[in-house]
Amino acid sequence: MKDFNYFMPTKIYFGNDCVLKNADVFKQFGKKAVLITGRTSAKKNGSQADVQKALESAGIEYFIFDDIEENPSLSTVEKAAEKTIYEKADFVIGIGGGSPMDSAKAVAFLAANPGKTAQFLFEKGESSHLPVVEIPTTAGTGSEVTQYAILTVPEKKTK
């Protein structure tokens, strides 16, 4: 086995009402957030309402991008990033399963690098990104603790 180093700086809050109990944590990321979600599940399960309430109690502005589809496409992520840049969000919150959380990471990367297309996500090298907060509502994807994202590239029929 080859030698390697592993670094994944992730802070996790866990427990009943942990989003509401830790609302002040959001303040460290900025004054305006974008909430990245799918069309319905975050609304139905109450997680979006909890995040909105927490942000409001912390005095943080936000807007919602809720057009994330299953197996999110590059074009959807680009649209979300364009809106994030336009709205001048300081940080990104992904709410849901793997698709919204992966999309949130890609949006954070693109929004911090205006003028770049989604193809920039595949280039090597260091680049900046907006802070990302993940609110998982499903078990098993692990997307909330990694820097990786799975996106669909329809024209290449691949992910």
Side-chain angles (χ1 to χ4, degrees):
M1 175 184 256
K2 289 188 174 192
D3 292 345
F4 66 90
N5 290 312
Y6 186 75
F7 178 70
M8 189 170 19
T10 302
K11 190 169 192 174
I12 298 172
Y13 294 83
F14 180 84
N16 291 333
D17 297 321
C18 66
V19 171
L20 297 170
K21 289 177 185 173
N22 295 286
D24 283 347
V25 171
F26 291 114
K27 291 180 183 178
Q28 68 185 295
F29 301 113
K31 296 180 180 189
K32 189 170 187 179
V34 54
L35 280 56
I36 304 290
T37 73
R39 293 182 182 102
T40 59
S41 66
K43 292 172 189 69
K44 287 181 180 178
N45 66 30
S47 56
Q48 181 177 315
D50 284 351
V51 173
Q52 288 175 273
K53 186 175 178 182
L55 292 172
E56 289 164 6
S57 73
I60 296 173
E61 292 181 55
Y62 64 88
F63 66 96
I64 299 167
F65 186 92
D66 60 1
D67 288 333
I68 302 301
E69 69 269 38
E70 286 184 34
N71 304 308
S73 67
L74 293 179
S75 62
T76 299
V77 168
E78 280 181 318
K79 288 177 195 169
E82 288 168 7
K83 186 167 184 184
T84 300
I85 293 166
Y86 177 79
E87 293 282 345
K88 296 182 170 88
D90 300 312
F91 65 106
V92 180
I93 301 174
I95 307 171
S99 292
M101 289 192 292
D102 285 354
S103 296
K105 290 183 247 184
V107 168
F109 188 70
L110 289 173
N113 296 280
K116 300 287 187 178
T117 67
Q119 292 305 313
F120 185 60
L121 296 169
F122 303 104
E123 294 177 13
K124 291 185 179 185
E126 293 197 25
S127 295
S128 58
H129 60 84
L130 298 179
V132 178
V133 175
E134 301 285 27
I135 312 292
T137 62
T138 60
T141 69
S143 188
E144 67 275 12
V145 295
T146 73
Q147 69 270 36
Y148 303 105
I150 304 298
L151 302 170
T152 301
V153 186
E155 58 275 7
K156 292 185 180 180
K157 296 182 182 178
T158 188
K159 295 181 183 183

